[in-house]
Amino acid sequence: LAAPSIADDVRVLILSKFHPGDVSIEAERGGFSFDADGRTVLSRPGEPWRATRYEDRLLFSSGEKRYVADKIAVRPSRDGTVFALRAGTARRRYRGMLSFRVVADEIEIVNRVDRDEYVDAVVFSEYENDAAAEALRALRVVVNTFAARGARHSPRDGYDFCDLTHCQTYHGALTRTAVDLSTVRGMVLRRNGDLVEAVFHSTCGGLLFDETY
């Protein structure tokens, strides 16, 4: 069934597993702009930036350029821009917008991304790219249903989902995939007209509830 009317994008807490205190960011195609406490700054294409903790605030720097702010909001300069982020041992790529702030001595990073891009990325983060095509399409329906039910975190957190198994595994932007998922885009699971609680797992630990559907 078609999905209900929900937000076109989602906000995902990313890379928290790595407890980042230092993050590098670079736009792979095109430049970007960012807001630093109300001041808008333009970055040149290919210009590397670094976010670090500065007491209880954030230092955003590139060479001699330095901006200290409570929050940094990064926006791509054009469609198709991909951000390359490095935090500790993690190196991942993201589309959409990014925001940075210091929370409990760590840098909190939130990726605001198109919902369909998020759902597709979750499918290939949760499952191997060479899995059977119909298995991947079935998983996309489940993942989209989970996202369609709405945020798993409180609005005061500033994000809807995290990128861990507490919500759905999300490793950022897709590159190339071997399976076309567009045939099931927009589809969700319902029971008696309501969206089901579409949780899923890679292993059940040997136990399952009795089937009731």
Side-chain angles (χ1 to χ4, degrees), residues 149-170:
R149 281 181 61 93
R152 303 284 289 189
H153 289 266
S154 167
R156 66 175 178 270
D157 291 333
Y159 50 87
D160 307 311
F161 305 101
C162 66
D163 64 354
L164 304 174
T165 54
H166 172 273
C167 295
Q168 301 188 113
T169 303
Y170 170 63

Side-chain angles (χ1 to χ4, degrees), residues 2-146:
S5 176
I6 59 174
D8 291 332
D9 53 25
V10 296
R11 300 168 302 167
V12 188
L13 176 68
I14 60 174
L15 301 175
S16 62
K17 174 182 177 180
F18 302 94
H19 307 288
D22 187 312
V23 183
S24 66
I25 174 174
E26 185 174 343
E28 292 187 346
R29 292 190 294 272
F32 61 86
S33 65
F34 63 88
D35 293 333
D37 285 352
R39 179 180 180 181
T40 300
V41 181
L42 297 178
S43 169
R44 297 190 305 271
E47 187 174 32
W49 287 81
R50 182 181 177 191
T52 55
R53 288 185 291 113
Y54 183 80
E55 297 178 348
D56 60 346
R57 305 186 76 197
L58 192 70
L59 172 64
F60 206 58
S61 61
S62 179
E64 298 299 317
K65 302 175 184 178
R66 296 164 58 90
Y67 300 89
V68 177
D70 291 325
K71 182 178 181 178
I72 298 288
V74 176
R75 296 176 175 82
S77 60
R78 66 179 187 182
D79 291 340
T81 295
V82 178
F83 295 109
L85 267 64
R86 182 171 62 187
T89 60
R91 290 171 174 79
R92 294 182 183 168
R93 302 161 73 248
Y94 297 91
R95 291 189 175 89
M97 296 184 291
L98 299 166
S99 65
F100 302 80
R101 65 174 181 166
V102 175
V103 177
D105 295 328
E106 297 178 4
I107 298 177
E108 179 187 271
I109 314 166
V110 174
N111 178 208
R112 186 166 187 164
V113 63
D114 176 82
R115 181 170 56 88
D116 279 328
E117 286 198 19
Y118 164 73
V119 170
D120 286 347
V122 167
V123 170
F124 290 104
S125 298
E126 291 277 3
Y127 217 155
E128 296 297 328
N129 192 27
D130 60 353
E134 291 309 313
L136 292 169
R137 293 186 183 111
L139 180 59
R140 195 196 191 282
V141 176
V142 173
V143 169
N144 196 42
T145 305
F146 186 96

Side-chain angles (χ1 to χ4, degrees), residues 172-202:
L174 292 173
T175 50
R176 298 178 61 184
T177 62
V179 177
D180 178 14
L181 301 179
S182 63
T183 55
V184 295
R185 184 162 291 172
M187 296 180 66
V188 294
L189 297 172
R190 292 179 183 272
R191 185 186 185 203
N192 298 328
D194 297 322
L195 292 168
V196 304
E197 181 72 15
V199 295
F200 56 94
H201 52 73
S202 62

